[in-house]
Amino acid sequence: MPRLIFFCGHAGTGKTTLAKRLIGPLMARTGESFCLLDKDTLYGGYSAAVMGALTGDPNDRDSPTYLQHLREPEYAGLMATARENLALGVNVMVVGPLSREVKAHRLTDPAWLQVEGDVTVRVVWVHLPEAEARRRITLRGNPNDAWKLAHWDDYRTRLFMPSAAEYPELTLFDNSAPTEQAERLLKSLL
């Protein structure tokens, strides 16, 4: 029974770092291999080329143009790649914001996931206080974050924090103290 684990959350919360930190211990404790699918790794170069052609800014990942033309195809490709691996019996960790999908409770909806067979699904929502996430985004200096930082008031309107009561399918992970909570998260994913 393959596993599908999502690491979701807003920019700067440490989704990728956390997934990479946990993949080794998950493989060691389960004796199983995992495929890591990070949206930025899979589509970063492609999106840069398309956005460069559309807007002249290859680093644009948050403008209305990006959201209208590339967001959905990127996620469709990410999920198709995950499904292909799961069908082969390979465990998959998917890293990406996926905030719209989380809001709509899609990540545990078998009809939306379109996965075959018995797949165990876990969804981790990685979060930080907004000020800390913005600080980390600024410090990492990724050109893809330029639009967010330049239009923070617009960007922040898309930020939300799911509640445990409204989103029981999520494992909420406060990444402001990851060392203390990582072992507990690892056990919950097993």
Side-chain angles (χ1 to χ4, degrees):
M1 173 168 37
R3 304 167 195 259
L4 173 58
I5 304 172
F6 290 98
F7 286 85
C8 309
H10 300 298
T13 57
K15 300 175 298 292
T16 302
T17 302
L18 181 62
K20 287 180 178 180
R21 179 179 177 190
L22 294 179
I23 197 167
L26 271 171
M27 290 191 294
R29 292 190 190 184
T30 62
E32 303 167 1
S33 61
F34 281 78
C35 171
L36 177 68
L37 301 177
D38 185 306
K39 184 182 84 67
D40 292 339
T41 302
L42 287 170
Y43 292 102
Y46 173 80
S47 295
V50 172
M51 291 308 293
L54 288 176
T55 68
D57 182 1
N59 299 311
D60 177 354
R61 295 298 185 284
D62 288 286
S63 72
T65 300
Y66 169 82
L67 295 173
Q68 180 181 356
H69 297 290
L70 285 183
R71 184 195 186 279
E72 295 307 316
E74 282 184 359
Y75 282 120
L78 181 65
M79 290 308 301
T81 305
R83 281 191 292 276
E84 190 170 55
N85 279 278
L86 291 165
L88 295 170
V90 177
N91 297 307
V92 178
M93 295 175 91
V94 172
V95 180
L98 292 150
S99 54
R100 288 184 197 170
E101 292 74 14
V102 166
K103 279 184 179 179
H105 301 273
R106 289 183 179 153
L107 299 184
T108 53
D109 176 3
W112 186 85
L113 289 172
Q114 300 175 27
V115 294
E116 296 182 17
D118 243 358
V119 176
T120 300
V121 179
R122 299 283 185 268
V123 184
V124 179
W125 180 265
V126 185
H127 63 93
L128 286 171
E130 180 185 332
E132 177 61 14
R134 185 176 184 177
R135 186 186 74 79
R136 290 183 185 189
I137 291 170
T138 302
L139 284 176
R140 71 184 179 188
N142 185 329
N144 294 342
D145 294 324
W147 192 94
K148 286 180 199 75
L149 293 171
H151 303 88
W152 191 262
D153 288 339
D154 290 333
Y155 170 70
R156 71 185 305 272
T157 63
R158 298 195 313 251
L159 302 180
F160 81 106
M161 179 59 203
S163 70
E166 191 176 348
Y167 295 89
E169 70 273 22
L170 301 180
T171 299
L172 302 176
F173 186 81
D174 180 350
N175 209 12
S176 56
T179 304
E180 294 84 21
Q181 296 188 50
E183 181 63 27
R184 193 171 352 156
L185 175 60
L186 184 59
K187 286 178 182 176
S188 77
L189 295 176
L190 296 171

